[in-house]
Amino acid sequence: MQNASRKAGTVDKSEFINLVYPDGTIAGLFNTMEAVTDRRGIIFGTEGRIEVENVNNFGEIRIYNNRYELVEIIPQPEQISGYEYEVLACKRALEQGKLECAEMPHAHTLRVMELLDEIRGEWEK
């Protein structure tokens, strides 16, 4: 894992995070409050790529093949705020008597928190 360096006691204005998974998959993450960005997310694969406009609350998803041709556009469904998906998942779980949502099990949440702890630990070195 590699990150931009950070001084103790400062605010993280920008972060570059590279994750390498055991199967060789690589994720590159970047965020900043120092500039206006396009908020895009891009997933690259052997058969093409997927581009997401505004990863926080997507406007549309574009799918391209490995010849750089646009194959499909998936528009944002009608929504209220973008959080209704989480609310509805929670409602379904509660109605089924479950203590967690299948869409985001507790183990996934804990793994994300472990990764964030590991990243912060790297910054302190």
Side-chain angles (χ1 to χ4, degrees):
M1 188 176 323
Q2 301 170 351
N3 301 300
S5 62
R6 173 170 96 76
K7 293 180 183 176
T10 62
V11 173
D12 302 327
K13 293 181 183 177
S14 294
E15 300 169 344
F16 299 87
I17 301 167
N18 295 312
L19 302 172
V20 180
Y21 294 88
D23 68 355
T25 301
I26 299 171
L29 312 171
F30 166 71
N31 68 69
T32 185
M33 68 168 107
E34 298 182 296
V36 177
T37 65
D38 61 11
R39 302 177 298 171
R40 273 192 317 157
I42 304 173
I43 303 167
F44 296 97
T46 57
E47 296 184 29
R49 74 181 187 278
I50 298 171
E51 294 183 359
V52 181
E53 288 299 323
N54 187 3
V55 295
N56 298 317
N57 187 10
F58 84 93
E60 70 178 18
I61 297 171
R62 290 186 305 280
I63 301 172
Y64 294 85
N65 63 24
N66 59 7
R67 293 181 305 280
Y68 304 98
E69 300 165 331
L70 179 63
V71 211
E72 184 178 359
I73 296 175
I74 301 171
Q76 178 190 65
E78 188 175 325
Q79 61 180 18
I80 299 166
S81 67
Y83 289 105
E84 55 267 34
Y85 308 107
E86 294 177 36
V87 172
L88 291 171
C90 181
K91 179 180 179 280
R92 277 191 306 274
L94 291 172
E95 289 172 345
Q96 296 169 5
K98 297 180 179 177
L99 298 177
E100 66 181 356
C101 299
E103 295 85 350
M104 186 65 172
H106 296 155
H108 289 197
T109 301
L110 291 172
R111 181 63 187 135
V112 168
M113 295 310 296
E114 289 168 356
L115 284 171
L116 293 173
D117 287 344
E118 186 178 337
I119 290 166
R120 284 188 293 272
E122 289 289 322
W123 286 335
E124 294 173 1
K125 291 182 179 180

